[in-house]
Amino acid sequence: MEVEFVCSGRVNLAYGALDQRMNQAKSACPALRSWWVWCYGWLIRVPRNARYNPPTLTGSYRGEKMEDGPGAVKTGTSTVGITFKGGVVVGADHRATMGHFVANKSVQKLFKIGDNLALTTAGLVGHAQSLARTLAAEVSLFELRRGDSMTVRGAATLTANILSGRPHWVQLLIVGVDSEGGSVYSIDSAGGSIPDSYCATGSGSPYMYGVLEDGFKDNMSRDDAVALAARSLSASAQRDAASGNGMDLAVITAKDGYVPVDQKEITAILKK
C-alpha cells in the first residue's frame, strides 16, 4: 500500500475543521480514489479502500481513545522524585519494552530541561522524547526573555497546558528547585498536575511506593534521599518486568543546579 506524505511540516489546521472538510469531501465525491488522513501531526493521502491506521496509535485523533498500534514502543518504566532539605533527587530506570519484549536496555527517561529543572518520562518513547525537546526549548526561551529561571510550578503548568491541548500517552514528573525550595509535580497524560513531597510513576511505581512510604522523612539529607531513590528503583526492577537494566539519578540544588549522581555511588548504595 502506498501512503503519500504531502507536507514538509506540521499542519496548523484545527482538528474540527479538518474533520469537517474530510467528511464533506467524501460525501461530495463518493468515487474518490483517495483522501487525506490526519496522522499524528501529518496530513497524508491514502487509498480509499486501504483502511489505513496510523503506525503508532489507532483511535481518535482528539485523544479520547488511544490504543497500542503495531509499532508502539513503551518505556514501561519506573521513575521517582524525592524532596530533601535543600533540593530534590530524581531518577529513572533504563528499560523500554514492546509488549513482553525488551526493546532497549539503555533508554533515557531522565532529562535535564533547565539548570534547576528535570523531567522524567513514562509511556510511549516518541511522545516522551518530543515533550523533552519541547520543554527544554521553552525553558531556555523563558530564561532568555526574562533573565531568570523558570519556577518548578511554572514548568509544571507549561507541561500541563501542552498535554491538555493535545494529549500524549505519557506520565511525567517535573522536579526542581526554586525560591520556594524543592518540588515534585506528577503530570498525567491529559494535563493533570499534582504536587507532592515524593512521587513514583510508571509500571514499577506500586513496588517503589512500598519502599518510599517506609523510608521517606521530611527534611532528609542529600545522601539519605539518594539512597532511598536508588533502593526504590532497585525494588521495582526486581518485580516489574518492564523496569530495570540500571538507573540514572540526579540531584538538583539551588547552589549547584542539576548534578548527575555517579554510577559508582549508586553501585555502592545498592551493595549495602
Side-chain angles (χ1 to χ4, degrees):
M1 180 191 71
E2 293 184 0
V3 178
E4 181 181 356
F5 286 78
V6 297
C7 301
S8 59
R10 292 187 177 275
V11 178
N12 295 317
L13 184 61
Y15 291 145
L18 176 63
D19 188 40
Q20 183 179 9
R21 293 185 188 183
M22 287 169 60
N23 290 333
Q24 288 174 349
K26 294 177 189 178
S27 300
C29 187
L32 277 173
R33 296 177 59 187
S34 64
W35 58 63
W36 308 115
V37 174
W38 179 262
C39 179
Y40 254 73
W42 294 87
L43 194 62
I44 64 175
R45 186 164 65 192
V46 299
R48 182 181 179 87
N49 60 354
R51 297 184 180 180
Y52 173 71
N53 288 323
T56 302
L57 294 177
T58 59
S60 169
Y61 55 76
R62 293 186 181 89
E64 293 116 350
K65 179 182 179 183
M66 294 192 295
E67 301 173 354
D68 290 351
V73 180
K74 295 187 289 185
T75 58
T77 306
S78 296
T79 79
V80 63
I82 303 172
T83 59
F84 65 89
K85 187 176 182 179
V88 292
V89 175
V90 60
D93 73 303
H94 291 162
R95 181 174 295 179
T97 58
M98 293 179 65
H100 298 291
F101 174 67
V102 178
N104 196 288
K105 298 181 180 181
S106 57
V107 171
Q108 182 183 3
K109 308 177 189 179
L110 171 59
F111 299 88
K112 176 184 176 181
I113 58 173
D115 290 337
N116 65 319
L117 296 168
L119 164 75
T120 72
T121 61
L124 288 179
V125 173
H127 286 180
Q129 292 178 345
S130 174
L131 282 168
R133 291 191 296 268
T134 299
L135 291 173
E138 291 290 346
V139 170
S140 295
L141 286 171
F142 179 92
E143 293 175 351
L144 288 171
R145 290 166 178 165
R146 303 292 183 89
D148 197 6
S149 299
M150 184 179 289
T151 64
V152 187
R153 180 184 296 180
T157 302
L158 169 64
T159 307
N161 288 341
I162 293 172
L163 294 177
S164 63
R166 181 183 172 192
H168 293 61
W169 196 329
V170 291
Q171 186 179 14
L172 310 174
L173 290 182
I174 295 289
V175 306
V177 176
D178 52 30
S179 60
E180 297 182 0
S183 301
V184 176
Y185 282 80
S186 173
I187 303 178
D188 63 40
S189 61
S193 177
I194 303 174
D196 209 337
S197 298
Y198 61 91
C199 188
T201 68
S203 57
S205 58
Y207 313 103
M208 301 176 72
Y209 272 119
V211 177
L212 294 171
E213 293 285 355
D214 181 62
F216 178 81
K217 298 177 182 178
D218 290 328
N219 295 318
M220 299 174 68
S221 68
R222 180 265 187 201
D223 291 345
D224 287 343
V226 169
L228 181 61
R231 290 200 307 271
S232 65
L233 286 168
S234 178
S236 71
Q238 303 302 316
R239 291 291 180 177
D240 177 37
S243 301
N245 298 116
M247 66 185 74
D248 291 319
L249 293 175
V251 175
I252 306 176
T253 61
K255 178 181 179 181
D256 299 322
Y258 180 100
V259 179
V261 177
D262 190 89
Q263 289 297 322
K264 293 181 180 179
E265 181 179 354
I266 297 173
T267 301
I269 291 171
L270 297 178
K271 285 183 177 179
K272 293 181 180 179

